[in-house]
Amino acid sequence: MVVGGDGIARENSPFINSAELGRGNTYEGKNMALFEEEMDSNPMVSSLLNKLANYTNLTQGVVEHEADEDSKRKEVKGPRMGTFIGVYLPCLQNILGVILFLRLTWIVGTAGVLESFIIVFMCCACTMLTAISMSAIATNGVVPGPEFGGAVGLCFYLGTTFAGAMYILGTIEILLTYITPSAAIFKVTDVSEEPEAMLNNMRVYGTCIIILMAIVVFVGVKYVNKLALVFLACVILSIIAIYAGVIKTAFDPPDFPICLLGNRTLSKRNFEVCAKFTESNNETRTTPLWLLFCDSSLLNATCDDYFTRNNVTEIQGIPGIMSGVLADNLWSAYSEKGSIVEKKDQPSVAGSEDSKMGGLPYVFTDIMTYFTMLVGIYFPSVTGIMAGSNRSGDLKDAQKSIPTGTILAISTTSFIYLSCIVLFGACIEGVILRDKFGEAVNGNLVVGTLAWPSPWVIVIGSFFSTCGAGLQSLTGAPRLLQAIARDGIVPFIQIFGHGKANGEPTWALLLTAGICEIGILIASLDSVAPILSMFFLMCYMFVNLACAVQTLLRTPNWRPRFKYYHWTLSFLGMSLCLALMFICSWYYALIAMLIAGCIYKYIEYRGAEKEWGDGIRGLSLNAARYALLRVEDGPPHTKNWRPQLLVLLNLDNEQLVKHPRLLSFTSQLKAGKGLTIVGSVLQGIYLDKCTETQKAEQNVKALMSVEKTKGFCQIVVSPNFRDGISYLIQSAGLGGMKHNTVLMAWPQSWKQTENRFSWKNFVDTVRETTAAQQALLVAKNIDLFPTNHERFTEGNIDVWWIVHDGGMLMLLPFLLRQHKVWRKCKMRIFTVAQMDDNSIQMKKDLQMFLYHLRLNAQVEVVEMFENDISAFTYEKTLMMEQRSQMLKQMQLSKNEREREAQLIHDKNTASRSAPAAEASVAAAVPEKVQMTWTKEKFVAEKHKNKDSNVSGFKDIFNMKPNQSNVRRMHTAVKLNGVVLNKSQDAQLVLLNMPGPPKNRKGDENYMEFLEVLTEGLDRVLLVRGSGREVITIYS
């Protein structure tokens, strides 16, 4: 072999012709000729490495779109983003959002600083633990794009979609409450109807904005992406403004006075002056506030009782960080819906109970508040941690950037949230914190009142950031759905994989807008947030679960590079997610889990084989291994005994099952419980029969599913049929999960010698099951047995109990009657009394025995008297023995015929050969005798053979039957008569199967005895127990 480095040497080689040389190039030179066969299916290592080196994970979604539009750019540029731009900032932008600006102050006011701290800490810990699990996944090989983790995909998609709805609702809330309240379409005069009108405004505006955003996303995605930086700048500026405002309150708190009546907070919408009356020019005048509580502007007017008894006071809304207001805000102040926001330590005189609250300018709470509900509302503000991993294709080094960027972003936002809670509690008066829409501070955004230089920084900043976040959700969610659809995991959403020619997900966008609209119609930010929390928590739970399972199973391909990962963190994360789901809302949690369960079962049912099945499959394998090791290898306790079947099937030349009813009977007997192994033997050499084996296995499995037989299929290829069955009996099953009973069909054509499953194989199988201490069931006339769809409306299952070999006979009818085919059949037990038995006592004993066994059956004792052996029995035995002898003779004469043909052949060759050969000595070989013959010898031999044959056949007709055979035949004939008399109309007859003779010469007679025993019966099940006790009278 010439070294493949230089082409010339190869060309000049006389051993490789030009045709081979041309082909040789495909085999990477002749160095690897030894592996030529493998190279068709397995690539060379060098070419594999080359492919991997050139692998680029295309940038996702938007960049493909841009590349398509800018046709000048022929190829997509390589990934180029670092950790900061590619992961940190997108995560930061996604995490910080609407809740921080619109609800965080209210959460702090309602739950108090301590409980708010707990809420935020729990949620941040949950996302941090999930980020660690995600980092482990990201560093375990090349990270695929948005389809990263097929299982979590749908939960993540629904979460992102509802997040879009929440951002849009936030946008409208900022617009209508803080920017232009006059833009409201539904206006009301009565304060009590205001919440409902607000919700309707949300619905109308929300629907318009969704349509507008969908058009923007459809037309120009790249503009959304370019605006992302602007939106991010808004968020960062707003947060800086909050911190700046906090610092300013230390030496110069802003002037936001609050008006209190007694300890009740007043809404400053309809009055300016916080006083009951004013004095000017020594004249006392009532204020607009007076008019709100009294029926006229006169000083002697009839006023609200509480208004009369309490003074109006004015306090500073933002006393500042040095004021010590933190101590008042430490504890929670949960309240019922519609209760007035009150200052705890302010003096107040209670008014009469009957005074009406409605229509008075108090600040009311709009919803009932409690700890768990606040968790649900707050959680969406920590979501968004997957923003980095969704852009994995755009990153220079995804495995390094995703963990670093995501964990840094979570740390930063956690710090911002936790510090904001403390700072809000330390700077702002409690009643303002609890005032959700800033009614006490002239309808200002509460966070805005704290900000520097102006509340408008926050209002405008939060408006743009929520608007942008909504746009980005509407951009990202359809791509996510498209990726899942194209992955083919969930078959019914595959239509959403299609889109415009440039890959834009049109159908997915429509569905996303539709789901968003559901969120908009709910209309309340506080109601949408918990739904969103559910989906994200579910998604994070799956991520943690996947990591924990992979580690605990020690899956070989699970080798994350992220060094701070440990399975306990994943497990803790998973538990925390589950706890938070039920804390937020137990009924939402149950619904979300039900949806996820349905999706999982649907995917399993449709048989989509994707990467996320592997974890569950691994878990099942581990559980199975654990269970198998726990199952004791020894014999099971009598109480636990049930037939674990090995079903021996016969296949025809097309590898189809000859007796499908055998499998029907199996499923009726097992009813899906216990172990069933369906085995069959193909004759030949495995290398030649590979394809046939696979075909046979497919056919058997197909039939098993049709017949609803739950079990395993095992096809064995063996040089001869007999050994194959022996292998199955010995080796089928695994560990403690081994069969203890063999079920087979009676060989109907055993008298035909050419039948491959001949009587010899059958008798040997009977012997082997006995040797292996296994029970044996032989179904005679199997094709007459019922299918699974038939129903017996009446009839009996008759048990003929002749010998006790473990009680299997009793158990089988009981098991059969569990199945609907046999349910209506009655069980009858017959036993045979000999001459010296007391049949009445036997019947009583048997009834008592059955009573203890807790079996319902009719009992009958049949008396069999000793009588003379009939001529019929003699004749039957004689015919049997004659037939057997005749077959032996025929076998002999066949050998003779072969020998004769050989003689003639030799004679012909001898006559042609040299004369000297005639005197040579004969060399005898058994069965084939090669001699050199003279004519006289040949004739004499021929006559001798003829004589011996004739005398052999004469002997057959003169023979007398063997006495032991006569006795056996007598039993068979007598028993058959008794059984026929009682059980001819039974739906099924179960009989003890006598064992084969110890002397192998009588095997064929044994078959005849069994044939006689069961003659004239339709369905017979011959039962041979294992000798072990299989039924017990103890509970």
Side-chain angles (χ1 to χ4, degrees):
M1 179 63 64
V2 182
V3 174
D6 60 310
I8 308 155
R10 216 183 293 137
E11 209 171 73
N12 294 343
S13 167
F15 304 112
I16 303 172
N17 63 28
S18 56
E20 269 187 33
L21 189 72
R23 199 186 48 171
N25 297 337
T26 61
Y27 295 134
E28 322 255 337
K30 287 293 160 203
N31 275 352
M32 291 294 164
L34 184 59
F35 294 97
E36 276 178 11
E37 301 273 322
E38 274 83 356
M39 284 186 205
D40 295 333
S41 53
N42 306 337
M44 283 276 292
V45 174
S46 55
S47 60
L48 177 76
L49 293 175
N50 188 24
K51 276 183 198 160
L52 287 177
N54 295 333
Y55 173 76
T56 57
N57 192 346
L58 272 187
T59 52
Q60 271 85 40
V62 179
V63 184
E64 290 168 20
H65 179 76
E66 287 181 40
D68 196 81
E69 288 197 353
D70 306 349
S71 50
K72 293 170 221 165
R73 207 164 32 172
K74 290 288 181 222
E75 55 189 51
V76 182
K77 288 180 186 171
R80 62 202 171 282
M81 287 190 198
T83 307
F84 187 71
I85 298 285
V87 181
Y88 181 72
L89 291 181
C91 281
L92 209 62
Q93 182 186 353
N94 272 279
I95 296 170
L96 296 169
V98 60
I99 303 286
L100 170 65
F101 303 121
L102 294 184
R103 293 287 182 272
L104 195 60
T105 50
W106 173 71
I107 289 172
V108 172
T110 310
V113 172
L114 294 177
E115 284 183 34
S116 302
F117 203 87
I118 292 169
I119 291 174
V120 174
F121 183 77
M122 273 200 311
C123 296
C124 291
C126 176
T127 51
M128 180 60 91
L129 291 168
T130 307
I132 290 171
S133 295
M134 224 170 64
S135 305
I137 294 174
T139 56
N140 187 50
V142 177
V143 185
E147 59 264 68
F148 149 81
V152 294
L154 276 176
C155 288
F156 188 44
Y157 163 72
L158 289 169
T160 310
T161 308
F162 272 103
M166 185 185 74
Y167 289 131
I168 291 168
L169 291 173
T171 306
I172 303 160
E173 190 177 302
I174 294 166
L175 181 73
L176 295 182
T177 314
Y178 308 114
I179 299 178
T180 56
S182 56
I185 298 168
F186 299 91
K187 294 186 169 72
V188 285
T189 48
D190 190 358
V191 181
S192 61
E193 291 172 13
E194 203 171 292
E196 190 53 46
M198 185 64 182
L199 293 182
N200 288 330
N201 284 324
M202 292 272 205
R203 290 179 183 120
V204 175
Y205 272 97
T207 308
C208 297
I209 289 184
I210 274 210
I211 294 166
L212 195 70
M213 282 187 173
I215 293 167
V216 170
V217 170
F218 184 73
V219 174
V221 183
K222 56 180 178 180
Y223 304 114
V224 178
N225 249 33
K226 285 178 180 149
L227 284 170
L229 215 58
V230 178
F231 300 139
L232 180 62
C234 290
V235 177
I236 292 170
L237 278 174
S238 303
I239 288 167
I240 291 170
I242 293 170
Y243 281 119
V246 169
I247 294 164
K248 186 172 173 288
T249 61
F251 50 86
D252 181 18
D255 183 31
F256 279 105
I258 310 167
C259 196
L260 298 176
L261 173 63
N263 65 355
R264 297 176 179 178
T265 317
L266 297 175
S267 168
K268 271 196 172 176
R269 285 192 180 172
N270 302 322
F271 65 94
E272 293 294 323
V273 180
C274 181
K276 290 185 182 181
F277 26 74
T278 55
E279 288 191 17
S280 61
N281 304 334
N282 292 331
E283 189 183 341
T284 306
R285 285 186 184 173
T286 54
T287 56
L289 177 63
W290 178 280
L291 272 174
L292 293 171
F293 284 94
C294 304
D295 56 2
S296 77
S297 59
L298 301 171
L299 287 169
N300 61 354
T302 309
C303 294
D304 177 75
D305 193 35
Y306 188 83
F307 182 75
T308 315
R309 294 186 186 193
N310 288 279
N311 292 326
V312 176
T313 49
E314 197 169 47
I315 59 167
Q316 266 305 325
I318 299 175
I321 198 165
M322 310 302 282
S323 65
V325 76
L326 180 64
D328 301 337
N329 291 335
L330 278 178
W331 310 108
S332 61
Y334 299 119
S335 60
E336 296 290 324
K337 181 181 178 177
S339 54
I340 298 170
V341 175
E342 298 176 342
K343 183 165 166 57
K344 291 171 198 166
D345 51 0
Q346 194 77 2
S348 163
V349 181
S352 60
E353 291 301 316
D354 59 341
S355 61
K356 288 180 184 171
M357 298 288 188
L360 298 177
Y362 294 128
V363 176
F364 295 99
T365 53
D366 64 336
I367 50 173
M368 181 181 172
T369 50
Y370 42 92
F371 178 79
T372 57
M373 171 233 181
L374 294 181
V375 176
I377 291 177
Y378 174 74
F379 189 80
S381 65
V382 294
T383 60
I385 60 171
M386 300 228 178
S389 60
N390 288 347
R391 295 164 184 234
S392 55
D394 299 341
L395 302 170
K396 272 183 204 157
D397 181 1
Q399 297 203 11
K400 183 165 159 269
S401 298
I402 290 175
T404 318
T406 310
I407 289 170
L408 269 177
I410 292 174
S411 308
T412 310
T413 51
S414 300
F415 170 74
I416 291 171
Y417 284 133
L418 291 168
S419 61
C420 277
I421 283 172
V422 177
L423 296 175
F424 290 163
C427 295
I428 305 175
E429 184 58 62
V431 285
I432 288 204
L433 286 174
R434 289 193 290 285
D435 176 8
K436 194 189 275 186
F437 300 111
E439 293 171 62
V441 281
N442 305 330
N444 269 309
L445 180 61
V446 178
V447 190
T449 57
L450 183 64
W452 178 87
S454 155
W456 285 99
V457 176
I458 298 274
V459 173
I460 302 298
S462 62
F463 176 76
F464 278 119
S465 76
T466 49
C467 197
L471 260 176
Q472 282 184 309
S473 293
L474 271 183
T475 311
R479 280 182 172 62
L480 199 62
L481 182 63
Q482 188 182 34
I484 299 166
R486 284 184 177 171
D487 223 19
I489 297 174
V490 189
F492 71 85
I493 61 166
Q494 280 181 346
I495 182 171
F496 300 111
H498 309 306
K500 287 199 292 191
N502 58 1
E504 278 301 291
T506 318
W507 290 107
L509 177 62
L510 283 174
L511 180 73
T512 306
I515 296 173
C516 252
E517 181 61 23
I518 295 171
I520 297 294
L521 292 176
I522 294 171
S524 161
L525 187 72
D526 304 318
S527 306
V528 174
I531 298 175
L532 173 70
S533 303
M534 273 316 125
F535 288 119
F536 276 118
L537 279 166
M538 195 89 150
C539 168
Y540 298 163
M541 186 176 83
F542 277 137
V543 170
N544 286 311
L545 175 69
C547 290
V549 164
Q550 297 279 23
T551 314
L552 290 173
L553 292 179
R554 297 191 175 87
T555 314
N557 69 351
W558 177 248
R559 303 184 297 277
R561 283 207 201 97
F562 186 65
K563 58 185 172 196
Y564 304 108
Y565 169 75
H566 193 263
W567 71 268
T568 48
L569 296 175
S570 288
F571 190 76
L572 189 66
M574 184 190 79
S575 312
L576 193 54
C577 286
L578 195 62
L580 282 173
M581 277 172 78
F582 281 93
I583 285 171
C584 291
S585 159
W586 63 268
Y587 47 91
Y588 275 167
L590 290 175
I591 293 167
M593 291 172 94
L594 188 71
I595 292 171
C598 289
I599 292 169
Y600 173 74
K601 289 313 275 181
Y602 172 76
I603 293 166
E604 190 180 52
Y605 169 70
R606 290 300 298 262
E609 288 181 20
K610 285 287 161 186
E611 71 280 355
W612 58 316
D614 295 346
I616 304 293
R617 184 177 167 77
L619 205 57
S620 308
L621 279 171
N622 238 31
R625 175 180 151 275
Y626 175 75
L628 273 172
L629 291 172
R630 290 290 303 273
V631 173
E632 297 133 45
D633 218 357
H637 190 274
T638 311
K639 279 191 285 196
N640 301 333
W641 197 96
R642 65 160 60 242
Q644 316 287 15
L645 288 182
L646 167 64
V647 186
L648 296 177
L649 290 181
N650 271 347
L651 303 178
D652 59 17
N653 296 331
E654 296 292 311
Q655 270 70 54
L656 294 168
V657 178
K658 271 190 187 172
H659 302 295
R661 297 282 175 99
L662 200 59
L663 280 181
S664 312
F665 184 66
T666 307
S667 57
Q668 290 157 26
L669 190 60
K670 300 295 289 177
K673 304 287 188 295
L675 172 76
T676 306
I677 302 169
V678 179
S680 190
V681 177
L682 293 180
Q683 208 162 344
I685 305 296
Y686 182 62
L687 284 177
D688 307 336
K689 294 269 183 180
C690 271
T691 50
E692 286 175 45
T693 309
Q694 285 168 355
K695 187 183 170 190
E697 198 164 330
Q698 281 169 0
N699 291 342
V700 172
K701 280 182 177 168
L703 187 65
M704 283 169 75
S705 68
V706 169
E707 297 293 349
K708 297 187 173 61
T709 308
K710 292 187 176 124
F712 309 100
C713 171
Q714 199 164 344
I715 307 287
V716 170
V717 180
S718 162
N720 68 59
F721 207 68
R722 155 89 197 72
D723 289 349
I725 286 178
S726 177
Y727 302 156
L728 275 173
I729 289 172
Q730 290 174 62
S731 63
L734 180 66
M737 286 289 276
K738 281 189 78 69
H739 61 278
N740 55 25
T741 307
V742 177
L743 170 64
M744 61 200 290
W746 172 264
Q748 298 286 11
S749 51
W750 66 273
K751 293 184 181 178
Q752 297 167 11
T753 46
E754 68 277 2
N755 181 25
R756 62 177 180 159
F757 189 64
S758 67
W759 52 270
K760 280 188 179 155
N761 291 343
F762 177 80
V763 180
D764 282 341
T765 307
V766 176
R767 284 201 176 95
E768 265 172 12
T769 52
T770 310
Q773 287 187 301
Q774 290 169 7
L776 175 68
L777 309 177
V778 179
K780 195 159 184 276
N781 303 330
I782 185 65
D783 297 325
L784 297 176
F785 275 63
T787 61
N788 287 331
H789 306 298
E790 290 176 44
R791 302 281 180 274
F792 289 134
T793 50
E794 56 181 6
N796 299 310
I797 300 177
D798 286 359
V799 177
W800 284 85
W801 191 27
I802 296 153
V803 253
H804 180 62
D805 52 5
M808 178 116 172
L809 267 174
M810 307 291 175
L811 197 59
L812 291 173
F814 169 75
L815 293 172
L816 275 176
R817 287 180 62 225
Q818 308 294 312
H819 196 274
K820 44 195 168 215
V821 173
W822 304 92
R823 193 163 288 155
K824 295 198 173 158
C825 292
K826 291 184 173 64
M827 179 173 160
R828 296 194 302 183
I829 295 186
F830 296 92
T831 189
V832 177
Q834 297 297 325
M835 195 69 184
D836 47 355
D837 290 331
N838 179 347
S839 55
I840 296 165
Q841 189 58 42
M842 262 179 89
K843 185 168 181 175
K844 278 184 183 169
D845 293 346
L846 185 54
Q847 279 169 335
M848 185 51 77
F849 180 59
L850 286 176
Y851 172 75
H852 285 310
L853 286 180
R854 304 170 302 284
L855 292 175
N856 291 328
Q858 195 179 321
V859 174
E860 206 166 318
V861 177
V862 180
E863 294 178 342
M864 244 173 94
F865 299 117
E866 282 293 333
N867 57 359
D868 293 337
I869 292 166
S870 65
F872 170 74
T873 307
Y874 264 116
E875 200 166 322
K876 195 100 176 154
T877 315
L878 193 57
M879 277 167 65
M880 173 184 82
E881 290 190 352
Q882 282 175 347
R883 181 178 174 279
S884 179
Q885 197 64 31
M886 208 159 172
L887 279 172
K888 283 180 189 154
Q889 290 288 357
M890 280 163 74
Q891 191 64 34
L892 281 170
S893 61
K894 187 180 170 194
N895 289 348
E896 294 289 351
R897 281 201 302 277
E898 278 176 14
R899 192 162 147 191
E900 203 168 297
Q902 185 67 41
L903 298 179
I904 295 165
H905 171 72
D906 287 350
K907 178 173 177 274
N908 291 343
T909 48
S911 62
R912 290 193 202 110
S913 62
E918 285 182 20
S920 63
V921 182
V925 178
E927 289 200 345
K928 285 194 176 179
V929 185
Q930 281 193 309
M931 299 177 178
T932 312
W933 293 94
T934 59
K935 191 176 179 186
E936 293 76 19
K937 267 187 185 175
F938 179 68
V939 173
E941 183 70 24
K942 200 171 171 186
H943 281 295
K944 191 177 110 183
N945 285 348
K946 266 189 189 168
D947 293 345
S948 66
N949 278 3
V950 172
S951 66
F953 282 112
K954 276 180 187 165
D955 288 349
I956 289 174
F957 298 112
N958 297 334
M959 67 189 286
K960 284 186 178 176
N962 178 316
Q963 278 309 305
S964 107
N965 282 349
V966 172
R967 280 204 324 279
R968 285 197 176 114
M969 183 63 82
H970 174 65
T971 309
V973 171
K974 283 278 295 176
L975 206 48
N976 176 252
V978 173
V979 172
L980 268 181
N981 182 28
K982 296 282 185 186
S983 303
Q984 189 149 22
D985 300 328
Q987 302 291 14
L988 179 65
V989 177
L990 284 88
L991 264 168
N992 277 113
M993 181 178 181
K998 293 204 166 47
N999 179 5
R1000 285 174 175 254
K1001 286 180 184 172
D1003 284 1
E1004 199 177 353
N1005 300 343
Y1006 170 67
M1007 295 296 285
E1008 191 73 55
F1009 294 143
L1010 291 181
E1011 194 75 72
V1012 170
L1013 184 60
T1014 55
E1015 209 168 352
L1017 295 168
D1018 281 349
R1019 301 183 195 90
V1020 184
L1021 189 66
L1022 292 167
V1023 181
R1024 184 157 172 72
S1026 57
R1028 294 177 182 172
E1029 196 66 39
V1030 299
I1031 191 164
T1032 171
I1033 60 174
Y1034 307 108
S1035 55

